[in-house]
Amino acid sequence: MGLTVIGALVASVVKIDVATVFKTGEVSLPLQTEVLDKIMPSLLPALLTVAVYKLIASKKVSVIQIIFGIIILSIILSYFGILKA
């Protein structure tokens, strides 16, 4: 039961919005809504949660380093237009 609750929390609390859109002529293909969400809704938040869990379990990096790494990575990806702000 606990894993079900955690899975629901990940899908509802962790938000990652990809702003990348592939364009060919007049056709545009939004990466998140037309590709990633069709494969599995909330795929990117689940992958981020698994990656953070693996980093915490490896004990090679501290939780503070993980938090600052996520903040810096999100700022950089947002600056280059990959993620929505």
Side-chain angles (χ1 to χ4, degrees), residues 7-81:
L9 281 173
V10 168
S12 64
V13 173
V14 180
K15 300 291 182 197
I16 300 176
D17 293 324
V18 178
T20 306
V21 176
F22 296 111
K23 293 182 182 179
T24 303
E26 295 180 4
V27 177
S28 65
L29 180 69
L31 182 63
Q32 183 164 4
T33 58
E34 294 294 325
V35 179
L36 295 175
D37 284 345
K38 299 279 177 151
I39 295 171
M40 180 181 152
S42 300
L43 176 66
L44 292 177
L47 291 176
L48 178 65
T49 304
V50 169
V52 168
Y53 177 75
K54 293 288 184 182
L55 285 173
I56 291 172
S58 71
K59 297 188 180 187
K60 293 182 181 179
V61 288
S62 69
V63 176
I64 301 298
Q65 290 173 331
I66 294 170
I67 291 170
F68 282 125
I70 289 173
I71 292 171
I72 291 169
L73 184 66
S74 63
I75 290 172
I76 291 170
L77 292 177
S78 179
Y79 176 77
F80 286 113

